[in-house]
Amino acid sequence: MEFRIIKSPSAGTLDILKQRMKASAVSAMDGADAVGLVQGRMIEMICAADIAEKAVGVTVEDVRGSCPQNMIMIAIFGDTSSVESAIQEIKRKLEEGKKLC
Amino acid sequence: MEFRIIKSPSAGTLDILKQRMKASAVSAMDGADAVGLVQGRMIEMICAADIAEKAVGVTVEDVRGSCPQNMIMIAIFGDTSSVESAIQEIKRKLEEGKKLC
Amino acid sequence: MEFRIIKSPSAGTLDILKQRMKASAVSAMDGADAVGLVQGRMIEMICAADIAEKAVGVTVEDVRGSCPQNMIMIAIFGDTSSVESAIQEIKRKLEEGKKLC
Amino acid sequence: MEFRIIKSPSAGTLDILKQRMKASAVSAMDGADAVGLVQGRMIEMICAADIAEKAVGVTVEDVRGSCPQNMIMIAIFGDTSSVESAIQEIKRKLEEGKKLC
Amino acid sequence: MEFRIIKSPSAGTLDILKQRMKASAVSAMDGADAVGLVQGRMIEMICAADIAEKAVGVTVEDVRGSCPQNMIMIAIFGDTSSVESAIQEIKRKLEEGKKLC
Amino acid sequence: MEFRIIKSPSAGTLDILKQRMKASAVSAMDGADAVGLVQGRMIEMICAADIAEKAVGVTVEDVRGSCPQNMIMIAIFGDTSSVESAIQEIKRKLEEGKKLC
């Protein structure tokens, strides 16, 4: 499982993400100071999405890859500290046990 | 074969699953307290779906992955104890013999 | 090459298979007591389909996978004993020689 | 590179092939006593198709696989002896040198 | 991660890239003296796109591959020295640490 | 990277290529005595296309594969000696250094 955080993402970067998201998700980006990216196997990303969603101040979206086999990527939008907390929460659960859910 | 159970899945998590299911399956989610996820090779997932379907109180749906080679994932919706029983039933058959059907 | 037989498949299981078949194939399922599944490399599945088709009392359909590389899966519908005979015939040819056709 | 020949292919087998061919290719099947199958890497299948096409009495078609990475499959239709000659011609070139073209 | 720069790309080369980009991106190519190509894993390419976008004088676009698993490719358009600076900036960050963001 | 040249390609072979090209590329085939095929990783094929395009008397087209991961294939059309020169030029650059551009 891999994690990245982009602070103040550029317009072009958000554009690349927008092309890979469902149309109705685009509004989640507006007013987001940061975007967190988590990439992993599909079954674990469903769990990771659920953990992040249950954290406060963030929205979680599914980013369609280019046919990435078992891997999918989710994007977590929100203000920088909320995105960092949501990702911290996933990492903390990962360290506790092997399964996120 | 991998198994996960999410209790009280968040709206965003159900949303990610909805995008990967056939439109008519969405109603199966309403009133479901839990979602069970099973991921494995296609031929075995057909068998696993059949075992879960024959258990009581659950609905089984096919979750389209992002081009996951031989792997597909099914989602089992229902109240928490029904989902747990359905998954228990698949695991029990797996331990008995090597083939689910 | 892998083989499975599901006797009295549940409605949900047939539904998952229907979503992966051509529309006109759906009627082949009606009145079928059993479904045989055979998964293998594309070139061998064409041969396996031909052997099963030449057996009596069964219909053979191509099940679209989720991008399963070289692997495809065929489903053989019919009454239980016909499906078993068709699969037996493929296995018998497999044991005789290395190529099904 | 793999080769198979099906003599007097059943209706269901031709049907599976038809679903994976361009619509205009279907007429090539009518009156064909046999179908030859050749599976290999894309760049070599273009060469193999050219060799078979230059043999007499056969028609060559591209069979769309289920996302088979570098592998594609071509089908060679015609009377049994023409299909056998076309496949013999590809095998003969393969044995002479490493490249078909 | 791989890097290439094409100076004065030919019309046919831009055409191949255009077919793999979103329609609205095509104007970014007009007046571009050079095109930089960066290929890598999806999660890192989002970061690389962000670094390049924050450099001056370039436009970054997502190039759809032919089902390239985890790999995606971005194209960076602009005058030759801007494209070179943007790619230099990505390489510099890569050498500093292991993560681009 | 792999190279093939087909002299006087048969109608069926050109047909298989046509199905995998953009509609507007089909006219490039008319009057072409030969077709050169180059298969390699996407980032290198963009460079190879640019080198071939800058050679004289040939047209370069992108051939869509069947989901060939990182690999794409380009076709180079023209009279036999032009196609041979274009491919010679790519090979020559390959031998000089490791990157085509």
Side-chain angles (χ1 to χ4, degrees), chain C residues 27-101:
Chain C
S27 65
M29 290 178 164
D30 299 332
D33 290 332
V35 53
L37 304 171
V38 188
Q39 184 175 284
R41 293 181 313 114
M42 187 159 127
I43 197 167
E44 286 186 329
M45 285 306 98
I46 305 295
C47 297
D50 194 62
I51 293 169
E53 269 275 324
K54 285 172 176 163
V56 288
V58 299
T59 318
V60 182
E61 297 296 339
D62 185 9
V63 183
R64 285 185 293 272
S66 303
C67 198
Q69 301 193 292
N70 282 318
M71 309 296 277
I72 67 166
M73 190 169 87
I74 55 171
I76 303 168
F77 297 100
D79 60 80
T80 306
S81 65
S82 298
V83 170
E84 284 173 341
S85 306
I87 285 191
Q88 228 30 64
E89 184 65 19
I90 298 170
K91 287 188 172 166
R92 199 182 55 74
K93 290 230 174 161
L94 260 188
E95 279 150 26
E96 276 175 28
K98 271 180 177 166
K99 292 186 177 183
L100 288 178
C101 64

Side-chain angles (χ1 to χ4, degrees), chain E residues 44-59:
Chain E
E44 285 185 330
M45 286 305 98
I46 306 296
C47 298
D50 195 62
I51 293 168
E53 269 277 321
K54 285 169 178 166
V56 288
V58 299
T59 318

Side-chain angles (χ1 to χ4, degrees), chain F:
Chain F
M1 208 174 298
E2 284 187 87
F3 302 91
R4 296 288 188 285
I5 295 180
I6 299 176
K7 292 174 188 174
S8 317
S10 68
T13 305
L14 290 176
D15 225 56
I16 290 176
L17 290 172
K18 275 177 200 172
Q19 292 169 54
R20 298 174 174 274
M21 285 183 181
K22 68 175 196 292
S24 60
V26 169
S27 65
M29 289 178 168
D30 299 332
D33 290 334
V35 53
L37 303 171
V38 188
Q39 184 175 283
R41 292 182 314 112
M42 186 158 127
I43 197 166
E44 287 186 329
M45 285 306 98
I46 306 295
C47 298
D50 195 61
I51 293 169
E53 269 276 322
K54 284 170 178 164
V56 288
V58 298
T59 318
V60 182
E61 297 294 339
D62 187 8
V63 183
R64 285 186 293 273
S66 305
C67 198
Q69 300 193 290
N70 282 318
M71 309 296 277
I72 67 166
M73 191 169 87
I74 55 171
I76 303 167
F77 297 99
D79 60 80
T80 307
S81 66
S82 298
V83 170
E84 284 172 342
S85 306
I87 284 190
Q88 228 29 64
E89 185 65 19
I90 299 170
K91 286 187 173 168
R92 199 183 55 75
K93 290 230 174 164
L94 259 188
E95 278 151 27
E96 275 176 26
K98 271 180 178 167
K99 292 186 179 184
L100 288 179
C101 64

Side-chain angles (χ1 to χ4, degrees), chain B residues 11-70:
Chain B
T13 305
L14 289 176
D15 226 55
I16 289 176
L17 289 173
K18 274 177 201 172
Q19 292 168 54
R20 298 173 174 274
M21 285 183 181
K22 69 175 194 291
S24 60
V26 169
S27 65
M29 289 177 166
D30 298 332
D33 290 333
V35 53
L37 303 172
V38 188
Q39 183 176 282
R41 293 181 313 114
M42 186 159 127
I43 197 166
E44 285 186 330
M45 285 305 98
I46 306 295
C47 298
D50 194 63
I51 292 169
E53 269 274 323
K54 286 172 176 164
V56 287
V58 299
T59 318
V60 182
E61 297 295 340
D62 185 9
V63 184
R64 285 186 292 273
S66 304
C67 197
Q69 300 193 290
N70 283 316

Side-chain angles (χ1 to χ4, degrees), chain E:
Chain E
M1 208 174 298
E2 283 186 89
F3 302 92
R4 296 288 188 286
I5 295 180
I6 300 175
K7 292 174 188 175
S8 316
S10 68
T13 304
L14 290 176
D15 225 56
I16 289 176
L17 290 172
K18 275 177 201 172
Q19 292 169 54
R20 298 174 174 274
M21 285 182 180
K22 69 176 195 290
S24 60
V26 169
S27 64
M29 289 178 167
D30 299 332
D33 291 333
V35 52
L37 303 172
V38 188
Q39 183 174 284
R41 292 182 313 114
M42 186 158 128
I43 197 166
E44 285 185 330
M45 286 305 98
I46 306 296
C47 298
D50 195 62
I51 293 168
E53 269 277 321
K54 285 169 178 166
V56 288
V58 299
T59 318
V60 182
E61 297 295 341
D62 186 8
V63 183
R64 285 186 294 272
S66 304
C67 196
Q69 300 192 291
N70 282 318
M71 310 295 276
I72 67 167
M73 190 170 87
I74 55 172
I76 303 167
F77 297 100
D79 60 80
T80 306
S81 66
S82 299
V83 170
E84 284 172 342
S85 307
I87 285 189
Q88 229 29 65
E89 185 65 19
I90 298 170
K91 287 187 173 167
R92 199 182 54 74
K93 290 229 173 164
L94 258 188
E95 278 152 26
E96 276 176 25
K98 273 181 177 164
K99 292 187 180 186
L100 288 178
C101 65

